[in-house]
Amino acid sequence: QKEVEQNSGPLSVPEGAIASLNCTYSDRVSQSFFWYRQYSGKSPELIMSIYSNGDKEDGRFTAQLNKASQYVSLLIRDSQPSDSATYLCAVADDYKLSFGAGTTVTVRA
Amino acid sequence: EPEVTQTPSHQVTQMGQEVILRCVPISNHLYFYWYRQILGQKVEFLVSFYNNEISEKSEIFDDQFSVERPDGSNFTLKIRSTKLEDSAMYFCASSVPGNGGNTDTQYFGPGTRLTVL
């Protein structure tokens, strides 16, 4: 079983601040990484995918990947109350995803 | 925008009964998956399905579980004799084959909440 670990939450940030989420994974050969957002009682919703080392930006979200350190992170800039959710890190193993336990983010207005 | 749909949204059943959860994947997708999430726990992979056969399954996916694509649009998960511990959210997902060796994105349906009494 491939292990995916996320920094334990909950993470509380003020509106407008940066939220930083971290994820490490155990399988060195993993090539595909995803961040999903999950609101309470809802399904995972894709935020970003990242495949190559470095940064990938999409709007207020930036994913960072370091395969040598087996580390992937997500930054949420200018956090909004609507960003309050659980963020799931997922690592692909062939065509299945292994998920972390999630980090719950609360954005304080 | 195309999306994965699932029915029913909530299923209540008695222990030992059979249930069938239904999914309609995104129309041009070729890979289909079932995941489950027990309340307060991680999302867990159950099974992947491609070209009308199971491509991978987890230890959770024992003989009580089966999947089927009965026609060109539906993808079903059957649990033959439900147990209390089968109570969970069940998510269907679909994807297209990845390019250049990368796994393409899996899109999740809204889920079916299964409650076994």
Side-chain angles (χ1 to χ4, degrees):
Chain A
Q1 176 70 27
K2 308 295 190 283
E3 295 295 327
V4 180
E5 300 288 339
Q6 295 186 239
N7 51 329
S8 59
L11 178 65
S12 180
V13 298
E15 186 173 356
I18 295 175
S20 177
L21 307 172
N22 302 318
C23 174
T24 58
Y25 57 94
S26 63
D27 187 359
R28 187 169 288 279
V29 301
S30 296
Q31 296 294 321
S32 305
F33 308 88
F34 304 87
W35 283 99
Y36 286 85
R37 176 174 61 197
Q38 187 176 33
Y39 294 111
S40 181
K42 302 296 185 184
S43 62
E45 173 193 8
L46 179 75
I47 298 175
M48 293 188 71
S49 59
I50 186 165
Y51 305 108
S52 304
N53 282 327
D55 295 358
K56 180 181 178 182
E57 186 174 316
D58 184 358
R60 296 186 294 108
F61 298 96
T62 300
Q64 299 172 319
L65 174 62
N66 183 326
K67 291 183 182 179
S69 300
Q70 295 175 236
Y71 172 91
V72 58
S73 67
L74 181 71
L75 297 177
I76 308 172
R77 291 184 302 282
D78 187 24
S79 295
Q80 302 298 308
S82 59
D83 295 327
S84 297
T86 297
Y87 290 81
L88 308 178
C89 173
V91 177
D93 171 18
D94 290 330
Y95 289 96
K96 72 173 190 277
L97 297 177
S98 294
F99 283 86
T103 300
T104 298
V105 174
T106 300
V107 180
R108 308 188 305 270
Chain B
E1 185 174 321
E3 57 184 23
V4 178
T5 60
Q6 291 186 242
T7 54
S9 57
H10 190 190
Q11 174 92 48
V12 180
T13 190
Q14 296 290 325
M15 189 169 55
Q17 296 297 303
E18 174 182 289
V19 295
I20 298 175
L21 310 182
R22 291 181 167 81
C23 168
V24 179
I26 295 172
S27 62
N28 64 332
H29 286 190
L30 300 178
Y31 284 83
F32 314 119
Y33 314 83
W34 284 101
Y35 292 82
R36 80 171 185 190
Q37 187 176 31
I38 295 170
L39 188 64
Q41 297 188 22
K42 289 184 185 185
V43 176
E44 301 174 288
F45 168 79
L46 293 178
V47 65
S48 60
F49 190 86
Y50 171 71
N51 200 25
N52 281 320
E53 60 182 25
I54 290 174
S55 46
E56 191 167 358
K57 60 183 180 179
S58 71
E59 291 176 354
I60 303 167
F61 194 88
D62 61 21
D63 292 344
Q64 295 286 76
F65 292 88
S66 63
V67 290
E68 191 179 30
R69 186 153 164 85
D71 53 42
S73 59
N74 290 284
F75 179 50
T76 62
L77 174 69
K78 181 192 290 185
I79 309 175
R80 262 179 271 284
S81 178
T82 50
K83 307 184 190 103
L84 295 175
E85 55 265 37
D86 293 327
S87 294
M89 280 287 283
Y90 287 81
F91 297 113
C92 175
S94 69
S95 70
V96 294
N99 297 318
N102 291 329
T103 300
D104 212 333
T105 304
Q106 293 184 24
Y107 294 92
F108 284 73
T112 294
R113 179 171 299 284
L114 176 65
T115 303
V116 182
L117 302 176

